[in-house]
Amino acid sequence: MFVDKAGELIADVMTMNRSLATIPSASAILDTSNYTFQAISYGKDAEGFNYHAHIPLGSFSANTIKVISYGPNSFSGYQSSATASALQFQYSLMPQSPTPMDTRLESKSTNPAYSLAVDMGQYINTAMHPVFSGVYPIAGAFPPPSGVYFQIFNQANSLIYSGSLQSVYNFYNMMDHLGFLKFYQAPLSGVFGHKNIVDTFINPYVAANTSVLFALSGGVFRTTGSNFPNDVDLIWLLTAGDAGMLNLFGGIYHIGLWCFDIKEMLKQGYYPPYSFNTLNTTRKYRLFAKKTFNKDLLYYSSNSAFKSMFVDNQFSNANGIVFTWKIRFN
Amino acid sequence: MIFNLVESLDIKGHLTISKVYNSGKEEVVFDDHNIIVSGMGVALAHLFALSGSDSILDYQIDRFQVGVSGSTLREVSSTNNLAGPASSIAEYAFESNVLTTSGYQVLNNAIVNVPRFYGLIPQQNVTRIDANTVRYTIILDENSCNAISRDGQNRPLNEIGLFVKNIKNNSIAAPILVAYRYFNDIQKTSDFSLVFRWSINF
């Protein structure tokens, strides 16, 4: 769903003062890149930020995520049907229904009751937070660049599985600490050309692993294929390690598409160019569109599937989930 | 996931045409919706794909055409030009207050290198009505468009279109039609100005 802020952005473009072009110090405000897609984010139901791996279990460990598996064969939060039924009176599992007035993925607070995390309405990337990075094992939701251990317990507190997860997003500094995954900025050509990107993402094993990782480390790609200007495709990868940690924190129920809130940035004294950094010292975003799912996109119903999907095939061979968001213009 | 931007945002417009006489009397002669044509999607696709001009001024609606061969058959989204636009600066009139310019035009996503003529919409006539709505005010004063002739006959105005400036950053601006409307014949004379108030809700 495109939200009302999307139309507001286009109205901004249509009414931007033409005289700025004659002022060298201000002309950068008119650069098209300030008004197009700039970030993707992931979210889940607000209530879920007090469940899943957000619940502290036993003694806190600085580099280990601990989570209870409520289903006999599921690590995917509480998503097995029997468990969902048992918990329905205390935890509905359902994300907020989207409306055109939305300005973020969840309007209710997504700040776990205990933590020092930031209430962004979405998953944040605490591992890259300049001050609170130490609480990422309970604040989530992406592994630090060096990776993370995890332990999964059954309801009797017995360890049933453990392993480690790596993050491509953070290894390549692709996501800021607020959970915004950057877009690749330069025009597409060479290894980043439309065909290469599509080939790489649709069939990653066509290319050598290093090329795949190099390509995907650019961020989210906006590609213009043969159906342009009717369609523009946004393509990105959620690699196994990052997906695995999201799975431990309750999975994906929302995906957000964001542009800059350039008026807010100007009001706060930030002028373009708005370069990306993981500390996000200048960028302010406004929601352009969101997609909400009523079932966790990362749901897997068996332990072995989790292991094969998120652990064995992680990082080194760039296994993961390819997202293609097609924006149709005609 | 597939999202249709123009349909989902429900971009639409409304056009009011008034005759304003020298006495100050204003008479509304047309008041209806307009047609957002496929060029709007083409322009926005270039903007959001970063595949066109790198200045957002080139994505602004800053010009228009009026014409004399309009019809209801053109009130469809596939329309990409006016049937009979004013075809010279002289037809917009030298002595009027309407600023005019020439340029090419984008048709079917390609630049057609045939000179065409446009009236310009000054910045002060572009008004933000609310967060999502922009109003364009086009004034054809008493000296404008009074002598558009075809086959030796003076023809009434009956169509108008809004254009986005130059999405492909061509050295000679190549505007693209984004909104169109046919209206009943108005024989323009020096007795009145025509004021078009065109609101687009994005």
Side-chain angles (χ1 to χ4, degrees), chain A residues 1-2 4 8 12-16 18 30-32 35-36 222 224 229 291 324 326-330, chain B residues 1-6 38 41 45 47-51 53-56 59-60 109 121 123 128 132:
Chain A
M1 169 184 289
F2 293 100
D4 287 349
E8 191 176 315
D12 284 350
V13 169
M14 293 297 174
T15 54
M16 190 57 67
R18 300 170 196 171
L30 302 176
D31 193 283
T32 306
Y35 302 86
T36 186
R222 52 173 81 74
T224 56
K291 177 67 179 176
T324 301
K326 187 181 292 293
I327 308 294
R328 183 152 285 164
F329 291 89
N330 275 308
Chain B
M1 298 184 288
I2 301 176
F3 280 25
N4 190 309
L5 182 77
V6 177
S38 58
L47 168 66
F48 286 111
L50 287 181
S51 289
S53 172
D54 60 6
S55 169
I56 59 163
Y59 299 92
Q60 291 186 336
N109 198 34
I121 307 172
Q123 175 96 56
R128 190 78 169 259
N132 291 41

Side-chain angles (χ1 to χ4, degrees), chain A residues 67-132:
Chain A
V67 64
I68 291 177
S69 171
Y70 283 85
N73 292 306
S74 172
F75 295 131
S76 192
Y78 304 95
Q79 190 54 269
S80 79
S81 58
T83 307
S85 298
L87 290 170
Q88 64 179 322
F89 296 109
Q90 68 182 77
Y91 177 30
S92 68
L93 284 165
M94 293 300 289
Q96 170 189 319
S97 297
T99 78
M101 288 84 76
D102 288 343
T103 58
R104 53 191 232 165
L105 300 188
E106 284 278 320
S107 58
K108 292 180 181 174
S109 172
T110 55
N111 205 350
Y114 54 83
S115 85
L116 299 172
V118 186
D119 174 19
M120 292 297 294
Q122 64 189 31
Y123 280 119
I124 55 174
N125 186 14
T126 317
M128 304 303 276
H129 192 283
V131 178
F132 305 128

Side-chain angles (χ1 to χ4, degrees), chain A:
Chain A
M1 169 184 289
F2 293 100
V3 297
D4 287 349
K5 289 290 182 184
E8 191 176 315
L9 174 76
I10 299 170
D12 284 350
V13 169
M14 293 297 174
T15 54
M16 190 57 67
N17 195 323
R18 300 170 196 171
S19 64
L20 290 176
T22 64
I23 306 171
S25 60
S27 59
I29 295 170
L30 302 176
D31 193 283
T32 306
S33 64
N34 295 326
Y35 302 86
T36 186
F37 311 127
Q38 289 291 348
I40 289 286
S41 68
Y42 303 103
K44 65 170 180 246
D45 55 302
E47 206 177 353
F49 285 81
N50 286 308
Y51 288 89
H52 312 288
H54 295 290
I55 298 176
L57 295 177
S59 59
F60 177 78
S61 174
N63 64 347
T64 304
I65 298 168
K66 301 173 182 177
V67 64
I68 291 177
S69 171
Y70 283 85
N73 292 306
S74 172
F75 295 131
S76 192
Y78 304 95
Q79 190 54 269
S80 79
S81 58
T83 307
S85 298
L87 290 170
Q88 64 179 322
F89 296 109
Q90 68 182 77
Y91 177 30
S92 68
L93 284 165
M94 293 300 289
Q96 170 189 319
S97 297
T99 78
M101 288 84 76
D102 288 343
T103 58
R104 53 191 232 165
L105 300 188
E106 284 278 320
S107 58
K108 292 180 181 174
S109 172
T110 55
N111 205 350
Y114 54 83
S115 85
L116 299 172
V118 186
D119 174 19
M120 292 297 294
Q122 64 189 31
Y123 280 119
I124 55 174
N125 186 14
T126 317
M128 304 303 276
H129 192 283
V131 178
F132 305 128
S133 59
V135 299
Y136 78 85
I138 51 174
F142 302 88
S146 57
V148 64
Y149 296 106
F150 67 89
Q151 296 177 331
I152 298 174
F153 301 87
N154 63 18
Q155 293 182 73
N157 283 330
S158 297
L159 181 66
I160 55 175
Y161 189 67
S162 63
S164 64
L165 298 167
Q166 305 291 329
S167 173
V168 166
Y169 285 173
N170 285 333
F171 186 84
Y172 285 101
N173 292 324
M174 300 161 65
M175 178 179 275
D176 71 18
H177 74 94
L178 298 175
F180 292 106
L181 178 66
K182 71 174 184 175
F183 268 68
Y184 180 70
Q185 292 296 340
L188 295 178
S189 63
V191 68
F192 292 114
H194 170 78
K195 185 177 186 307
N196 284 355
I197 292 298
V198 172
D199 286 350
T200 297
F201 280 130
I202 300 306
N203 185 1
Y205 300 103
V206 168
N209 294 336
T210 51
S211 296
V212 175
L213 283 174
F214 178 62
L216 68 87
S217 68
V220 183
F221 293 87
R222 52 173 81 74
T223 70
T224 56
S226 58
N227 206 29
F228 181 79
N230 292 325
D231 294 337
V232 175
D233 289 345
L234 312 179
I235 301 177
W236 73 98
L237 195 62
L238 175 62
T239 49
D242 291 305
M245 186 151 161
L246 285 172
N247 184 277
L248 298 176
F249 278 86
I252 297 174
Y253 288 84
H254 296 294
I255 297 176
L257 176 61
W258 302 79
C259 294
F260 282 154
D261 189 342
I262 190 167
K263 285 188 169 178
E264 183 61 28
M265 289 189 287
L266 293 174
K267 193 190 307 180
Q268 294 188 18
Y270 300 130
Y271 294 91
Y274 302 110
S275 56
F276 176 86
N277 61 69
T278 58
L279 299 179
N280 191 2
T281 49
T282 58
R283 288 183 163 196
K284 307 293 176 190
Y285 296 99
R286 64 174 153 184
L287 186 63
F288 191 89
K290 65 189 286 190
K291 177 67 179 176
T292 297
F293 307 90
N294 59 14
K295 186 173 182 179
D296 176 15
L297 276 184
L298 302 178
Y299 173 63
Y300 274 87
S301 62
S302 77
N303 297 354
S304 60
F306 181 93
K307 185 173 183 295
S308 61
M309 176 67 195
F310 298 124
V311 180
D312 288 344
N313 291 324
Q314 65 184 343
F315 193 71
S316 59
N317 58 5
N319 193 11
I321 301 167
V322 176
F323 290 93
T324 301
W325 194 335
K326 187 181 292 293
I327 308 294
R328 183 152 285 164
F329 291 89
N330 275 308

Side-chain angles (χ1 to χ4, degrees), chain B residues 3-199:
Chain B
F3 280 25
N4 190 309
L5 182 77
V6 177
E7 279 184 14
S8 298
L9 284 183
D10 193 21
I11 297 176
K12 57 189 174 224
H14 190 95
L15 176 63
T16 301
I17 307 174
S18 300
K19 287 181 177 178
V20 179
Y21 293 90
N22 295 336
S23 63
K25 177 189 169 191
E26 181 166 343
E27 174 191 359
V28 176
V29 295
F30 181 88
D31 189 357
D32 204 356
H33 68 89
N34 72 174
I35 305 299
I36 301 297
V37 300
S38 58
M40 181 70 82
V42 173
L44 294 176
H46 280 74
L47 168 66
F48 286 111
L50 287 181
S51 289
S53 172
D54 60 6
S55 169
I56 59 163
L57 298 186
D58 286 332
Y59 299 92
Q60 291 186 336
I61 296 171
D62 76 336
R63 59 198 67 197
F64 67 95
Q65 284 183 332
V66 290
V68 296
S69 305
S71 80
T72 54
L73 296 177
R74 286 195 169 258
E75 294 186 320
V76 292
S77 64
S78 57
T79 292
N80 58 12
N81 59 7
L82 274 66
S87 57
S88 67
I89 291 177
E91 289 193 336
Y92 282 100
F94 290 116
E95 296 179 355
S96 80
N97 291 322
V98 177
L99 298 174
T100 55
T101 187
S102 62
Y104 298 147
Q105 191 168 327
V106 174
L107 298 174
N108 300 320
N109 198 34
I111 295 172
V112 176
N113 295 336
V114 176
R116 297 162 195 263
F117 298 87
Y118 304 88
L120 293 173
I121 307 172
Q123 175 96 56
Q124 64 268 26
N125 288 6
V126 179
T127 310
R128 190 78 169 259
I129 302 299
D130 60 33
N132 291 41
T133 307
V134 181
R135 184 173 68 198
Y136 301 88
T137 303
I138 297 164
I139 302 171
L140 299 181
D141 65 25
E142 58 271 20
N143 296 320
S144 301
C145 301
N146 294 336
I148 300 179
S149 62
R150 299 287 184 270
D151 302 323
Q153 291 188 331
N154 202 6
R155 294 295 181 90
L157 301 175
N158 58 17
E159 60 178 340
I160 186 168
L162 291 178
F163 289 78
V164 161
K165 183 180 179 182
N166 189 22
I167 59 171
K168 292 182 181 291
N169 192 29
N170 201 47
S171 55
I172 296 175
I176 184 169
L177 181 70
V178 295
Y180 177 87
R181 182 65 215 214
Y182 161 78
F183 51 88
N184 290 331
D185 289 354
I186 300 175
Q187 186 63 60
K188 180 71 176 61
T189 73
S190 59
D191 293 334
F192 60 90
S193 301
L194 270 184
V195 178
F196 300 81
R197 295 184 179 90
W198 202 329
S199 298

